[in-house]
Amino acid sequence: MTPSPPALLIAGHGTRDEAGAEAFRAFVRELGDRHPELPVAGGFIELSPPPLGDAVTGLVERGVRQFAAVPLMLVSAGHAKGDIPAALAREKERHPGITYTYGRPLGPHPSLLRVLERRLDEALGTADGREDVTVLLVGRGSTDPDANAEVHKAARLLWEGRGYAGVETAFVSLAAPDVPGGLDRCARLGARRIVVLPYFLFTGILPDRVRRQTEEWAAAHPDVEVRSADVIGPEPELLDLVWERYEEAVRGDLRMNCDSCVYRIALPGFEDKVGLPQQPHFHPDDDGHHHGHGHHHGGHAHAH
């Protein structure tokens, strides 16, 4: 008899905005409809029902003893690194006999970058070209510098190969620059057409704040054309990516940065690099004792 596959548990952040919370719940239901072969549940760390613990209890009541948890988050901040693992450990104590694996956050996956590019095209409409468009990518913001750095990585990957004048970064809370400061920077760099792009999965209080602050700044700077783009939303690419993260967790295949590697993924402008063999290269200061730099690149190629 073939064992049943582990259930899928989606862990969300939570929002005081009911439309945003319902968007998450609808997303979980859609995943369940897509994959009737296994139980699918979702819960929040804070602010919104259902709590993550209730989602685990619901799975247990359906007979689930093994599941894979996927954080529905774009960056590895405190919730993904600490709060969710702690909550899962607590649920394991509450429900003796369950086992679980923990997947990784979504990150700046190429499929989500394509959605972001689509949101920019929607905001620009029929406007001519991209070469004079500066994008301001606005993340949630965190006290974790690693999480903020991931937003900068997403901005750089969005810029590469897509023809925008530039992609700058700002945050709506906890980190600098804030949205007005980010727009000021764009203007100082000479931008005359700016699209503010919220780096959020669903609608909510913070994306609404981004739009409001953008409109206020635009009203005070009539010489600059400023537009607002929409959030990522429950797109097919997002559904596919969550399933990919689930399968990684089930297999134990938790790769690090291969999602955006030009030798693995066809990134815009770098399509010819996919599959190229990797050769060790040597820094001018290498002393020939093989401290691992060249070996790292060789291992990277084998991993692909």
Side-chain angles (χ1 to χ4, degrees):
M1 182 177 177
T2 303
S4 300
L8 169 56
L9 176 68
I10 307 298
H13 178 280
T15 174
R16 292 185 178 89
D17 181 79
E18 177 54 29
E22 179 53 31
F24 171 90
R25 293 189 288 261
F27 182 82
V28 172
R29 291 194 294 270
E30 175 66 18
L31 270 171
D33 291 342
R34 274 189 167 207
H35 300 283
E37 73 278 9
L38 77 161
V40 177
F44 295 101
I45 291 299
E46 61 181 2
L47 302 176
S48 312
L52 192 64
D54 287 3
V56 173
T57 298
L59 288 174
V60 172
E61 290 173 348
R62 295 166 66 181
V64 169
R65 291 294 175 267
Q66 184 179 12
F67 63 86
V70 175
L72 196 68
M73 298 172 184
L74 289 166
V75 301
S76 297
H79 289 295
K81 291 178 178 179
D83 296 335
I84 297 174
L88 294 175
R90 180 190 62 208
E91 294 309 311
K92 197 171 188 302
E93 292 182 358
R94 289 178 175 174
H95 305 283
I98 66 170
T99 60
Y100 63 87
T101 55
Y102 185 42
R104 58 181 173 141
L106 306 175
H109 192 280
S111 62
L112 294 189
L113 294 174
R114 288 194 297 272
V115 178
L116 292 173
E117 184 178 13
R118 195 155 70 234
R119 294 290 176 258
L120 290 170
D121 287 342
E122 292 165 356
L124 290 168
T126 58
D128 295 332
R130 298 176 172 183
E131 63 276 0
D132 63 343
V133 173
T134 298
V135 177
L136 182 64
L137 184 70
V138 182
R140 176 182 295 273
S142 172
T143 55
D144 183 343
D146 181 45
N148 296 331
E150 288 189 28
V151 181
H152 279 268
K153 178 179 179 178
R156 183 70 203 193
L157 288 169
L158 185 63
W159 186 6
E160 293 281 358
R162 289 182 172 84
Y164 302 111
V167 180
E168 297 296 321
T169 308
F171 301 94
V172 72
S173 65
L174 298 176
D178 58 13
V179 175
L183 286 164
D184 287 342
R185 173 175 169 80
C186 292
R188 287 197 300 271
L189 290 171
R192 288 296 173 263
R193 296 178 68 206
I194 304 172
V195 180
V196 177
L197 177 62
Y199 194 44
F200 288 83
L201 293 174
F202 303 124
T203 58
I205 300 295
L206 295 181
D208 288 347
R209 185 186 301 169
V210 173
R211 185 175 290 268
R212 184 175 66 252
Q213 292 179 349
T214 298
E215 292 171 351
E216 292 170 353
W217 190 93
H221 300 80
D223 55 327
V224 182
E225 177 188 335
V226 184
R227 303 188 184 197
S228 291
D230 287 332
V231 296
I232 290 170
E235 293 293 287
E237 291 93 338
L238 182 57
L239 289 156
D240 291 342
L241 178 54
V242 171
W243 184 251
E244 183 178 321
R245 292 288 184 258
Y246 164 81
E247 290 187 317
E248 287 176 359
V250 169
R251 295 193 308 263
D253 178 23
L254 301 181
R255 296 186 303 268
M256 295 302 290
N257 65 339
C258 295
D259 282 339
S260 51
C261 176
V262 293
Y263 300 104
R264 181 184 179 92
I265 301 296
L267 298 179
F270 302 93
E271 292 87 350
D272 61 333
K273 290 184 178 292
V274 175
L276 284 181
Q278 298 299 287
Q279 301 296 329
H281 73 275
F282 300 97
H283 192 279
D285 293 333
D286 282 350
D287 60 8
H289 291 297
H290 304 294
H291 289 295
H293 195 70
H295 289 292
H296 169 79
H297 281 259
H300 193 61
H302 287 302
H304 289 179

